[in-house]
Amino acid sequence: MADDQSAHPDVITAAAQGRLKSFIERIERLEEDKAAIAGDLKDVYAEAKGEGFDTKVMRKVVSLRKKDKQKLEEEETLLDLYLSAIGGL
């Protein structure tokens, strides 16, 4: 004899409903936090731009600092190789 879940796959147990609700609420809180952080980042970049810094370059610096040093060196080596292969910029 089949249990209730296999007979009715569209039914979620009370425990599963609670867990699902918990996950959804956590995701919603994190999305709110993410939006707040994105706003904070925008403000910092705007402040830097107001003081004359190039924010595109700043974003590139932040991106490069996130990378592993060895991986960055490999990318730079490949970039140099590819540029020399096509005759430079």
Side-chain angles (χ1 to χ4, degrees):
M1 177 176 222
D3 62 37
D4 286 332
Q5 284 185 339
S6 64
H8 303 286
D10 57 335
V11 175
I12 299 178
T13 66
Q17 287 175 353
R19 288 294 292 153
L20 177 60
K21 184 177 181 182
S22 173
F23 285 129
I24 297 297
E25 289 171 347
R26 286 171 52 198
I27 290 167
E28 289 171 341
R29 280 193 304 275
L30 290 168
E31 289 289 345
E32 289 173 5
D33 292 348
K34 183 169 79 170
I37 290 170
D40 292 346
L41 284 168
K42 183 178 177 184
D43 292 344
V44 171
Y45 280 112
E47 183 180 348
K49 185 175 185 174
E51 293 189 24
F53 292 101
D54 185 324
T55 57
K56 275 179 68 173
V57 175
M58 289 177 62
R59 288 178 191 276
K60 182 69 175 176
V61 169
V62 170
S63 173
L64 291 172
R65 288 173 49 103
K66 287 181 187 177
K67 292 184 180 183
D68 175 63
K69 186 175 180 176
Q70 182 179 356
K71 183 173 177 116
L72 181 58
E73 289 173 357
E74 290 172 6
E75 287 179 12
E76 289 174 346
T77 300
L78 281 173
L79 179 62
D80 289 342
L81 176 66
Y82 290 5
L83 285 173
S84 66
I86 62 168
L89 298 173

